[in-house]
């Protein structure tokens, strides 16, 4: 039985005071939620204090990225290691978000290193995959997504998929108000993994990301292979994010 998971990716938003008020609001509004795991991913700089101050809540904390240069420490200016994330109370970390692939040119080798370092610190990677609009329009979406999955399998083996979460986020649906009808792609991802290992494919949690809002969450979560969401814009508002979490709780 897969445990559902709703993750809020704050991206580069917020301030010290807005972070506290968002988390205070979520603490109250999600106090009675059960049967769905909720994780928030603030910017690095707010993580440690947030996870300390809100340790008595049901919220799990995650990072938006991690260094792929070294697991613990070293001369990598500006980077934050998996060991530091663990020290800061992180249980999850997003890897390979399309914004990082696009703006920071992250390679498959680097992403595999990130996954490897997170796993050795017992942090669950949330691996993002998804095609761009031009891939979809030219019918290459399945090939692109399969390639992103196999980039990890080729480097780390299929067994790592028993320890990670995959988020399918079509790039054209992020922040645009457009949502994919993604069941087909989630089924495709599960099938691609099942070709390598049936049990892992059955267990792995597959999230959907891309303009998830309170009014479309229920339909998305009702889809057979979707086990939760990776939410951007709507996670910055207590009411919207709580409604999304509750939509997952009631499917
Ligand atoms: P939006 O929900 O704002 O479309 O963002 C999705 C996303 O990129 C989450 O990682």
């Amino acid at each position: 039985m897969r445990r559902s998971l709703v993750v809020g990716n704050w991206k580069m938003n917020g301030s010290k005071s807005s972070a506290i008020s968002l988390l205070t609001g979520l603490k109250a509004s999600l106090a009675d939620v059960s049967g769905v795991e909720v994780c928030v991913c603030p910017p690095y700089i707010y993580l440690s204090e947030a996870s300390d101050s809100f340790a008595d809540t049901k919220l799990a904390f995650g990072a938006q990225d991690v260094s792929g240069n070294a697991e613990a420490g070293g001369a990598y200016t500006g980077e934050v290691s998996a060991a530091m994330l663990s020290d800061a109370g992180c249980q999850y970390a997003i890897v390979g978000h399309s914004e990082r692939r696009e703006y920071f040119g992250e390679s498959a080798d680097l992403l595999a290193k990130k996954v490897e370092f997170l796993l050795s610190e017992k942090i669950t990677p949330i691996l993002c995959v998804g095609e761009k609009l031009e891939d979809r329009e030219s019918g290459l979406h399945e090939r692109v997504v399969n390639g992103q999955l196999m980039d990890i399998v080729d480097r780390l083996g299929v067994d790592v998929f028993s320890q990670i979460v995959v988020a399918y986020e079509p790039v054209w649906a992020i922040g645009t108000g457009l949502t994919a009808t993604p069941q087909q792609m989630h089924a495709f991802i599960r099938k691609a993994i099942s070709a390598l290992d049936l049990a892992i494919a059955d267990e792995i949690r597959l999230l959907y990301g891309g303009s998830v809002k309170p009014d479309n969450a229920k339909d998305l979560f009702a889809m057979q292979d979707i086990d939760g969401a990776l939410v951007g814009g709507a996670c910055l508002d207590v009411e919207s994010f709580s409604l999304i979490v509750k939509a997952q709780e009631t499917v």
Side-chain angles (χ1 to χ4, degrees), residues 9 11 97 169 173-175 210-212 230-233:
N9 175 8
K11 306 194 180 183
H97 192 282
E169 296 202 313
I174 296 176
S211 296
V212 177
L230 180 54
V231 184

Side-chain angles (χ1 to χ4, degrees), residues 15-159:
S15 62
K16 217 150 93 169
S17 69
S18 73
I20 291 169
S21 81
L22 181 49
L23 292 168
T24 305
L26 291 176
K27 176 181 174 175
S29 88
L30 298 178
D32 295 331
V33 166
S34 61
V36 42
E37 216 179 326
V38 184
C39 172
V40 290
C41 302
Y44 283 143
I45 195 157
Y46 304 128
L47 250 177
S48 195
E49 194 184 334
S51 76
D52 281 352
S53 307
F54 292 85
D56 61 336
T57 67
K58 291 188 175 159
L59 297 171
F61 287 88
Q64 298 173 19
D65 189 30
V66 65
S67 176
N69 296 103
E71 183 187 327
Y76 298 104
T77 303
E79 290 283 88
V80 173
S81 73
M84 292 168 184
L85 294 182
S86 167
D87 196 29
C90 271
Q91 288 166 252
Y92 290 92
I94 298 169
V95 172
H97 192 282
S98 59
E99 286 150 15
R100 295 215 57 91
R101 290 180 192 257
E102 173 82 9
Y103 305 143
F104 302 94
E106 296 193 341
S107 67
D109 285 335
L110 185 73
L111 296 183
K113 278 284 167 208
K114 293 183 180 201
V115 169
E116 186 186 325
F117 293 155
L118 289 169
L119 289 175
S120 32
E121 294 295 332
K122 306 206 170 3
I123 296 170
T124 303
I126 301 170
L127 176 71
C128 296
V129 297
E131 80 283 0
K132 296 180 186 172
L133 184 60
E134 60 262 34
D135 303 322
R136 164 86 35 179
E137 285 175 344
S138 46
L140 293 174
H141 46 293
E142 289 187 351
R143 191 188 298 183
V144 167
V145 168
N146 191 56
Q148 291 167 338
L149 295 170
M150 294 311 133
D151 279 346
I152 297 297
V153 172
D154 291 347
R155 287 162 180 82
L156 301 176
V158 69
D159 283 357

